Amino acid sequence: MHIPKNDIPVRVEAPGAVARQLPDFGVAEASIGAEYFSLGAGTDLAPLLAGLDGDACHAPHWGYLITGDVTVTYTDDTTERCVTGDVFHWPAGHSVRVDEDAELILFSPQDSHGAVMDHINAQLASS
């Protein structure tokens, strides 16, 4: 199974950020979705995660940073930097700040990440 990036439905769109999400990407039993994010430099997800448990994303992600530079902050205040070409796992309890325009692919459990995306959309609608 394959799908072109522009055929993946947009789930969240905000200034400097587009999140495309394809739920159940060929793995319905595991409820894993494929996601393609385009994030502009300066994007900080922390304010959009306010109100979630620990004010953080509660979904784990596995992915690949196609281009860019991002800083991930965990609820224990540790940080890590991911740059172009990195493969990563971000456990639940994190936020992301974009230091350089970024394109990334995520594979995430849709039950938990779908709820986070709904929360982000609600935050955007109320601002």
Side-chain angles (χ1 to χ4, degrees):
M1 176 178 183
H2 77 279
I3 187 166
K5 175 182 92 171
N6 289 335
D7 290 347
I8 301 171
V10 172
R11 178 77 186 260
V12 174
E13 190 163 5
V18 175
R20 297 173 179 276
Q21 187 177 47
L22 185 64
D24 301 326
F25 185 61
V27 193
E29 307 81 38
S31 296
I32 296 293
E35 303 161 337
Y36 191 107
F37 282 66
S38 300
L39 303 169
T43 300
D44 185 354
L45 296 181
L48 297 173
L49 300 172
L52 291 172
D53 187 28
D55 293 331
C57 178
H58 52 261
H61 309 288
W62 294 262
Y64 176 72
L65 191 60
I66 299 166
T67 61
D69 185 339
V70 301
T71 299
V72 183
T73 302
Y74 297 98
T75 53
D76 67 1
D77 290 326
T78 61
T79 62
E80 67 180 332
R81 182 175 171 218
C82 295
V83 298
T84 298
D86 284 354
V87 173
F88 57 83
H89 170 245
W90 298 336
H94 64 272
S95 183
V96 175
R97 184 185 73 244
V98 182
D99 302 312
E100 180 184 302
D101 289 355
E103 301 268 328
L104 56 143
I105 296 170
L106 298 176
F107 297 95
S108 312
Q110 293 305 284
D111 56 345
S112 56
H113 201 225
V116 172
M117 302 274 271
D118 289 343
H119 177 84
I120 289 171
N121 274 326
Q123 294 284 77
L124 289 167
S126 69
S127 59

